[in-house]
RNA sequence: GUCCCCAUCGUCUAGAGGCCUAGGACACCUCCCUUUCACGGAGGCGACCGGGGUUCGAAUCCCCGUGGGGACGCCA
């Protein structure tokens, strides 16, 4: 039997980091077993679902490169199927109409909570042999409830958490169709997973409580029960639960913040899963290695610093041409359109090991393509009167020396020697004049990249020549 | 409240009863490299939640406790 997994987000917000990891694991598991990965949009909550959220999820998946073999399927487009199954269940007696009003149910829940009980539907409209049901009120449109077994336990061997058993006494008759006829989440999931032949349900562990209900539903439909894989949640950097109000950001925000998708993916892959001591690996490698046995059952705290490290690693090692492509728009945003000279790829080759995100990288090289912003404190500290004679001399020498890193270095060295200074005494003011700040790669390499004309121009501003 | 889940360095984790004096990675600290900042290299700091069992032997298995989390919707 081929493996079929799915990612089934509800379009009520963007794709966040937890959802992304769930999608990644589902995707990888399908890839690993040459199976299919299905994308299904669970949009039955019409009030909260939006087309913008659908697009945001699609964008997030695309940015991460999580491609799907089937879908996206939209549950709202599958209404006929659901209604058909509900009708069958009604006829088979595995579901029934319930005429309780919302107010009635709220009151019931309230009183049960008061009494210290688990709030549950009390089965007042559940048909039972020998039981007399009240007359159906004409003014209340009924919901449809599933007739959950009263006795026994539901059990499954969760591929992450191990065996989980829940007593049916803990469960109540859940609503599978609202008063307006639209089916509800647990029911749609069951019908879809069944019909789409999903073999492994990989999802967040906030769904473990839904699993026994879904299994009962599946059994009532005589459907095959899939394997369940419940992933524990991802906590924020501060150890707190991620929520819309607190720290849960769109994966697209990572793009905006200068992260590479391969870094985010690699980071996520290692969050809650491991392969010995391996930390850095490609998605191709991940798909070969990925297994359910090494998924952690406990919650994992997100660590931005480790993500930064991975991001830096990928910036340092990725294809230069692609790096240039990605950095260009970020430079433009800073008002520094990359020009013909110096070649962006050459600049990046020298600078990329210094940055751990793309925005920072763009900001660091911007002065090649626009006037540098002079850092006042650095300027005051390094561009001092006693350094100026040497700088002026150097300016003259640079007018005509060979324009190679070695030649430039030699000229600076000779100047330093001639004026009996330490190397930094000349290099630091030079650095600030050319770049605006006191940190840069090797100054001769920077000058070489910058070109004679620009170097002399920026020096001249200070040399009063 | 009821049910369910979880528990190794600050963080992500390795660990399937002896290989554990508990390994790796991020972060942090020191040193080296160096012309500044980085990168890189070499070291260092640092953990099995507590208590009982089982066993010749427990981070690993069992029980209890504690702590954390989740679920209890005509949301998904």
């Amino acid at each position: 039997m081929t493996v079929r997994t799915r990612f089934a987000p509800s379009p009520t917000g963007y794709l966040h980091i937890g959802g992304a990891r769930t999608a990644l694991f589902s995707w990888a598991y399908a890839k690993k077993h040459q199976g299919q990965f299905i994308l299904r949009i669970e949009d039955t909550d019409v009030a909260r679902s939006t087309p913008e959220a659908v697009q945001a999820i699609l964008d997030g998946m695309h940015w991460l490169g999580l491609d799907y073999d089937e879908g996206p399927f939209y549950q709202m487009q599958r209404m006929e199927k659901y209604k058909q199954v509900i009708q069958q269940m009604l006829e088979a007696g595995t579901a029934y109409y319930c005429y309780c009003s919302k107010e009635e149910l709220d009151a019931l829940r309230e009183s049960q909570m008061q009494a210290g009980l688990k709030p549950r539907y009390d089965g007042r409209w559940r048909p039972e042999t020998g039981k007399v049901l009240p007359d159906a009120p004409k003014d209340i449109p009924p919901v449809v409830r599933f007739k959950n077994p009263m006795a026994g336990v539901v059990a499954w061997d969760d591929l992450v958490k191990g065996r989980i058993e829940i007593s049916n006494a803990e469960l109540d008759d859940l609503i599978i169709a609202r008063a307006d006829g639209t089916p509800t989440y647990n029911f749609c999931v069951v019908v879809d997973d069944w019909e789409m032949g999903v073999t492994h349900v990989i999802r967040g562990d906030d769904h473990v409580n839904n699993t026994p209900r879904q299994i009962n539903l599946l059994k009532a439909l005589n459907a095959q029960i899939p394997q369940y894989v419940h992933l524990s949640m991802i906590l924020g950097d501060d150890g707190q639960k991620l929520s819309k109000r607190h720290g849960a950001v769109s994966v697209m925000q990572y793009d905006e913040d200068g992260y590479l998708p391969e870094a985010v993916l690699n980071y996520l892959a290692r969050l809650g899963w491991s392969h010995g001591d391996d930390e850095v690996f490609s998605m191709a490698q991940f798909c070969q290695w990925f297994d359910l046995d090494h998924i952690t059952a406990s919650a994992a705290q997100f660590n931005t610093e480790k993500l930064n490290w991975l991001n830096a690693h990928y910036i340092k090692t990725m294809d230069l041409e692609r790096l240039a492509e990605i950095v260009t728009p970020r430079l433009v945003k800073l008002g520094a359109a990359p020009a013909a000279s110096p070649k962006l790829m050459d600049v990046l080759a020298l600078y990329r090991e210094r940055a751990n995100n793309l925005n920072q990288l763009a900001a660091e090289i911007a002065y090649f393509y626009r006037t540098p912003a002079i850092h006042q404190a650095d300027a005051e500290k390094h561009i001092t009167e006693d350094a100026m004679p040497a700088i002026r001399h150097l300016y003259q020498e640079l007018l005509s020396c060979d324009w190679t890193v070695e030649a430039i270095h030699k000229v600076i060295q000779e100047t330093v020697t001639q004026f009996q200074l330490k190397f930094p005494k000349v290099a630091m003011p030079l650095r600030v004049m050319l770049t605006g700040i006191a940190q840069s790669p090797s100054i001769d390499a920077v000058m070489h990249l910058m070109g004679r004309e620009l170097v002399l121009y920026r020096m001249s501003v200070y040399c009063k020549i």
Side-chain angles (χ1 to χ4, degrees):
Chain A
M1 186 169 62
T2 69
V3 167
R4 289 170 65 80
T5 64
R6 45 64 156 192
F7 177 54
S10 67
T12 55
Y14 39 66
L15 177 65
H16 55 83
I17 214 72
R21 190 191 57 169
T22 304
L24 171 64
F25 283 16
S26 276
W27 173 86
Y29 194 70
K31 293 267 182 231
K32 156 89 177 223
H33 295 281
Q34 287 95 42
Q36 289 93 41
F37 174 57
I38 304 163
L39 177 63
R40 185 172 76 219
I41 306 293
E42 311 220 315
D43 55 357
T44 54
D45 184 355
V46 183
R48 294 199 304 154
S49 297
T50 67
E52 291 75 24
V54 171
Q55 195 52 52
I57 290 164
L58 262 22
D59 290 347
M61 301 275 291
H62 183 255
W63 183 68
L64 289 170
L66 299 178
D67 52 332
Y68 27 91
D69 302 296
E70 292 176 24
F73 295 110
Y74 295 86
Q75 290 186 322
M76 284 307 283
Q77 292 170 12
R78 296 171 47 76
M79 277 308 136
E80 279 320 301
K81 178 68 195 177
Y82 305 134
K83 287 185 176 166
Q84 196 186 323
V85 177
I86 286 169
Q87 200 50 48
Q88 281 167 14
M89 291 178 72
L90 247 13
E91 282 161 18
T94 52
Y96 62 91
Y97 288 114
C98 166
Y99 294 85
C100 284
S101 66
K102 281 182 190 176
E103 294 70 30
E104 210 175 338
L105 291 171
D106 287 344
L108 177 64
R109 205 171 2 249
E110 188 62 28
S111 70
Q112 285 168 331
M113 289 286 257
Q114 291 283 327
L117 298 169
K118 183 170 182 160
R120 267 193 313 222
Y121 175 62
D122 62 3
R124 60 184 69 171
W125 288 94
R126 177 180 169 116
E128 225 61 84
T129 36
K131 176 177 170 186
V132 181
L133 261 21
D135 291 333
K138 290 278 177 293
D139 53 333
I140 297 177
V143 299
V144 178
R145 285 186 185 270
F146 171 58
K147 202 171 172 189
N148 196 77
M150 306 264 266
V153 295
V154 202
W156 76 97
D157 291 300
D158 195 284
L159 266 23
V160 169
K161 307 227 180 232
R163 187 166 187 82
I164 298 177
E165 290 186 16
I166 307 237
S167 168
N168 272 319
E170 291 296 327
L171 274 21
D172 63 0
D173 291 350
L174 73 151
I175 292 171
I176 58 175
R178 301 179 180 93
D180 66 5
T182 57
T184 58
Y185 167 74
N186 279 109
F187 178 77
C188 295
V189 168
V190 159
V191 172
D192 286 347
D193 285 343
W194 173 34
E195 236 211 355
M196 294 173 186
V198 172
T199 58
H200 298 257
V201 173
I202 301 173
R203 62 190 0 172
D205 73 356
D206 47 333
H207 287 293
V208 299
N209 296 274
N210 289 323
T211 306
R213 300 174 185 284
Q214 293 178 9
I215 290 176
N216 281 338
L217 234 17
L218 251 3
K219 281 181 180 163
L221 292 167
N222 275 318
Q224 176 87 29
I225 315 250
Q227 301 283 352
Y228 290 97
V229 182
H230 285 106
L231 271 20
S232 55
M233 59 185 313
I234 297 176
L235 272 23
D237 244 328
D238 55 1
Q240 295 296 299
K241 186 194 170 182
L242 248 23
S243 66
K244 285 180 186 74
R245 228 198 93 255
H246 180 81
V249 296
S250 163
V251 293
M252 296 312 289
Q253 184 65 43
Y254 288 90
D255 178 27
E256 195 128 324
D257 290 347
Y259 290 94
L260 256 7
E262 51 265 53
V264 173
L265 250 6
N266 193 158
Y267 179 73
L268 251 21
R270 274 291 285 104
L271 198 59
W273 175 83
S274 61
H275 185 265
D277 289 341
D278 295 303
E279 296 285 352
V280 181
F281 44 79
S282 66
M283 281 305 102
Q285 184 62 267
F286 178 55
C287 288
Q288 280 177 31
W289 281 342
F290 186 64
D291 63 340
L292 271 15
D293 295 340
H294 292 84
I295 295 177
T296 323
S298 56
Q301 191 171 317
F302 194 88
N303 186 232
T304 303
E305 281 171 336
K306 190 158 181 180
L307 206 213
N308 287 343
W309 171 75
L310 274 168
N311 204 43
H313 168 81
Y314 283 103
I315 289 174
K316 274 182 287 193
T317 54
M318 74 189 288
D319 178 69
L320 254 188
E321 205 164 322
R322 191 177 142 230
L323 180 60
E325 263 169 45
I326 304 182
V327 169
T328 298
R330 293 172 201 267
L331 271 171
V332 170
K333 224 181 231 175
L334 295 171
S341 174
K343 268 187 71 188
L344 182 53
M345 284 199 347
D346 294 338
V347 176
L348 290 172
L350 184 63
Y351 277 74
R352 63 166 160 179
E353 68 183 31
R354 313 171 63 77
N356 58 29
N357 77 65
L358 300 165
N359 294 339
Q360 190 190 331
L361 181 54
E364 279 205 42
I365 63 173
Y367 52 67
F368 281 98
Y369 304 107
R370 59 145 216 235
T371 310
I374 305 296
H375 189 268
Q376 236 6 79
D378 284 346
E380 281 164 23
K381 181 172 175 199
H382 297 290
I383 306 178
T384 53
E385 267 318 304
D386 54 337
M388 288 315 290
I391 296 290
R392 288 194 192 92
H393 172 81
L394 182 64
Y395 180 95
Q396 295 301 328
E397 295 299 314
L398 290 173
L399 245 20
S400 58
C401 74
D402 276 355
W403 205 254
T404 63
V405 176
E406 297 72 25
I408 294 168
H409 182 84
K410 194 167 161 233
V411 170
I412 299 173
Q413 192 57 60
E414 282 166 1
T415 304
V416 161
T417 308
Q418 188 180 327
F419 285 79
Q420 293 188 306
L421 297 168
K422 298 229 192 244
F423 199 100
K425 194 68 199 174
V426 172
M428 292 311 292
L430 205 46
R431 183 169 273 126
V432 177
M433 288 173 189
L434 300 179
T435 71
I437 53 168
Q439 298 84 40
S440 82
S442 188
I443 193 63
D444 40 22
V446 171
M447 291 164 78
H448 175 249
L449 262 183
M450 210 166 256
R452 194 194 311 264
E453 196 185 341
L454 193 50
V455 166
L456 291 176
Y457 171 72
R458 288 188 182 171
M459 285 178 77
S460 71
V461 173
Y462 296 88
C463 291
K464 303 185 188 78
I465 292 168

